[in-house]
Amino acid sequence: MSDEELTAEFGVVAEWTADVVDELGPEYAIVAGCRGSGDPALLDWLAQACGVGPETALVDVGAGVGGAAAWVAETYGARPALVEPMEAACRAARRMFGWDAVRARGEALPFGDGQFDVAWCVGVLCTVHEKRALLHELARVLRPGGSLGMTVLVADPALHSAVPKGNEFPEADEVRDLIAGAGLTLRALTEAPNGTTPTEWVLKAGQIDELLRKQHANDQAWRESEEQGRKLSHLLTTRQVTTRLLHATKSVGAAG
């Protein structure tokens, strides 16, 4: 995405999301933090595939306001580090979860080689133009034998409808090539299941969206965010784009 598009989606709206959590209560924070990017079923698949457990050193690249990282810390006891390019989203993560996020792009991670057991990248790949650089960085910071978990929005070859600004949806074969090109071994690339979100999560998400809409319906950034969401919803409903769950590993003998 361009800086302007990132600012609308992950800047201003991120601050508004933190405001809503302040109003509704901390029990809404994880649901709000995962808004538009993940739900427990998808995150649980990633955690189990990657073998996440207590004390797992995990980096969440493109962490947004930190919802997925907070979920995996609470559910599996992992020790997540957050990387996020937008300053406002980093501030929101601190407000909502008390964590400091490193402000950086995934294509240039400020970490040493082999520093993490697991790397997550949830719904980010389609927003990055330099996909190859991102995958190489994710592989570099993984220790030998470490796991990469991703949710990826994958385009059908027959994609023809309007695409949300700043998104470049890869096809499945491109994803496989990117993983192989980064020196990783693809273990799974499977379509995410539908209809698995818990009722309580859905209800909380609805309350969050309702309050955001009530407070910001007339704001340009909110209208832009809503339009982005409508375009993506159409692509998903018509199956021109599908959500895939990806697991890959770094070979034991691989260097950083």
Side-chain angles (χ1 to χ4, degrees), residues 45 179 185-189 246-251:
W45 188 98
I179 293 296
T185 300
L186 183 64
R187 302 297 182 183
L189 181 61
L246 182 152
H247 175 226
T249 56
K250 184 173 179 177
S251 67

Side-chain angles (χ1 to χ4, degrees), residues 79 90 94 104 115 131 163 178 182 213:
R79 297 181 290 112
C90 294
R94 190 176 306 113
Q115 192 167 333
K131 293 177 172 56
V163 172
L178 287 166
R213 190 173 294 108

Side-chain angles (χ1 to χ4, degrees), residues 5-221:
E5 289 155 350
L6 280 168
T7 297
E9 187 164 355
F10 300 112
V12 176
V13 176
E15 298 275 22
W16 291 345
T17 301
D19 291 341
V20 164
V21 170
D22 286 344
E23 186 168 342
L24 293 175
E27 67 273 20
Y28 285 80
I30 289 180
V31 178
C34 290
R35 184 176 173 272
S37 63
D39 67 39
L42 307 191
L43 298 178
D44 196 55
W45 188 98
L46 294 179
Q48 293 194 33
C50 294
V52 175
E55 302 305 310
T56 295
L58 183 151
V59 60
D60 186 349
V61 177
V65 300
W71 180 90
V72 77
E74 180 180 276
T75 308
Y76 283 89
R79 297 181 290 112
L82 283 64
V83 178
E84 166 56 42
M86 294 302 301
E87 183 178 354
C90 294
R91 288 197 302 268
R94 190 176 306 113
R95 287 177 59 190
M96 292 166 64
F97 303 109
W99 291 343
D100 289 324
V102 177
R103 188 182 178 194
R105 292 185 176 273
E107 304 93 314
L109 294 173
F111 303 114
D113 296 351
Q115 192 167 333
F116 295 97
D117 304 314
V118 173
W120 273 17
C121 199
V122 180
V124 173
L125 188 63
C126 65
T127 69
V128 175
H129 180 67
E130 296 296 336
K131 293 177 172 56
R132 195 168 301 277
L134 172 63
L135 265 297
H136 275 272
E137 280 292 270
L138 291 169
R140 181 183 65 78
V141 301
L142 280 176
R143 63 168 177 78
S147 281
L148 170 65
M150 306 180 77
T151 62
V152 184
L153 295 175
V154 173
D156 186 270
L159 173 66
H160 60 275
S161 296
V163 172
K165 290 180 181 179
N167 285 268
E168 300 175 12
F169 300 111
E171 294 183 12
D173 285 344
E174 181 183 355
V175 174
R176 295 186 184 96
D177 289 344
L178 287 166
I179 293 296
L184 298 169
T185 300
L186 183 64
R187 302 297 182 183
L189 181 61
T190 185
E191 188 168 344
N194 290 321
T196 56
T197 309
T199 300
E200 183 182 1
W201 186 287
V202 173
L203 291 174
K204 285 182 177 178
Q207 290 176 270
I208 292 162
D209 283 349
E210 182 181 356
L211 188 53
L212 282 167
R213 190 173 294 108
K214 178 180 178 181
Q215 294 178 346
H216 302 291
N218 295 322
D219 289 290
Q220 180 65 24

